[in-house]
Amino acid sequence: FVSTVPFRYGTAQVTRILNEGPQPEDAAPLALVGCATVVGALGADLGYRSADRSRGQVERLAEELRTTNVELEDRVQQRTDELSAALERERRLSDSLAELTVRDPLTGLHNRRHLDDELIRMAAYSRRSGVPLSVAVIDLDDFKSVNAHFTHLVGDDVLRTAAQLLASGTRTADVLVRTGGEEFALLIP
């Protein structure tokens, strides 16, 4: 309805009356205040409160999002570090296994498989560069009699000692391998 009494209340006063209730200083009855004005004032006030509340909610949600983002970044970094460490362990294990496939467990020298790979590589280098490549084949004579007379434990010690003596006389570029049994090969570029 429309009031016949001039409107005496501003938005702040209407909001105060609605929030706190009428006070004795509010002389005119609230019924005289136009419904449209009250609703308009109330709507404007609620809009501001809603905007303030929305701003507060947005700020709170933004802070939660920042916190969650930091936590996720930390978790991603932690997982990345864990995966990097696992990959490094896998690489070392793979390298160790690859080395085991080309090493003789008794003497610690490289084995026949390594000789095959190195012979191909060194022969190709020799052809390209013109640097000669020599191959020495070394066999311990009558080694079977050592095993027969003194046991295989003594024979193993003889093989280890022979490998150490041969290795001590090689250069860095030389490749010494145990090809099997009591036989060794030495590639000399």
Side-chain angles (χ1 to χ4, degrees):
F1 79 49
V2 177
S3 171
T4 56
V5 177
F7 182 67
R8 306 180 328 128
Y9 301 105
T11 303
Q13 291 169 321
V14 171
T15 302
R16 183 186 52 76
I17 290 169
L18 290 173
N19 287 338
E20 300 171 9
Q23 302 298 316
E25 63 269 11
D26 299 321
L30 287 177
L32 295 178
V33 177
C35 289
T37 304
V38 172
V39 170
L42 179 61
D45 183 58
L46 289 176
Y48 289 128
R49 273 196 234 161
S50 176
D52 288 343
R53 187 177 13 199
S54 294
R55 246 181 272 129
Q57 287 174 337
V58 167
E59 289 172 3
R60 187 174 55 255
L61 289 173
E63 183 57 34
E64 287 177 21
L65 184 60
R66 281 190 288 272
T67 301
T68 302
N69 191 39
V70 167
E71 290 171 359
L72 286 174
E73 286 176 353
D74 289 346
R75 288 175 63 191
V76 166
Q77 185 61 49
Q78 178 184 6
R79 187 65 179 138
T80 299
D81 293 345
E82 290 169 358
L83 289 173
S84 293
L87 284 173
E88 180 61 24
R89 282 191 304 273
E90 286 289 323
R91 186 195 59 75
R92 283 194 310 267
L93 180 60
S94 178
D95 290 349
S96 295
L97 288 174
E99 183 65 19
L100 286 175
T101 64
V102 295
R103 284 275 174 199
D104 173 50
L106 178 65
T107 62
L109 296 178
H110 284 105
N111 63 18
R112 175 74 183 248
R113 178 178 288 165
H114 184 73
L115 173 67
D116 294 342
D117 294 340
E118 286 297 303
L119 187 56
I120 290 169
R121 186 183 66 77
M122 292 175 97
Y125 175 76
S126 178
R127 277 192 296 276
R128 282 191 319 269
S129 66
V131 174
L133 174 64
S134 301
V135 179
V137 177
I138 304 156
D139 181 75
L140 302 181
D141 288 340
D142 298 321
F143 182 73
K144 289 186 182 174
S145 65
V146 172
N147 281 336
H149 288 89
F150 300 102
T151 74
H152 287 278
L153 291 176
V154 173
D156 290 348
D157 284 341
V158 169
L159 288 173
R160 278 192 286 272
T161 302
Q164 289 171 353
L165 288 171
L166 290 168
S168 67
T170 61
R171 303 169 304 166
T172 305
D174 298 341
V175 176
L176 175 65
V177 300
R178 178 178 174 209
T179 57
E182 71 278 5
E183 297 169 350
F184 299 86
L186 180 61
L187 301 178
I188 309 165

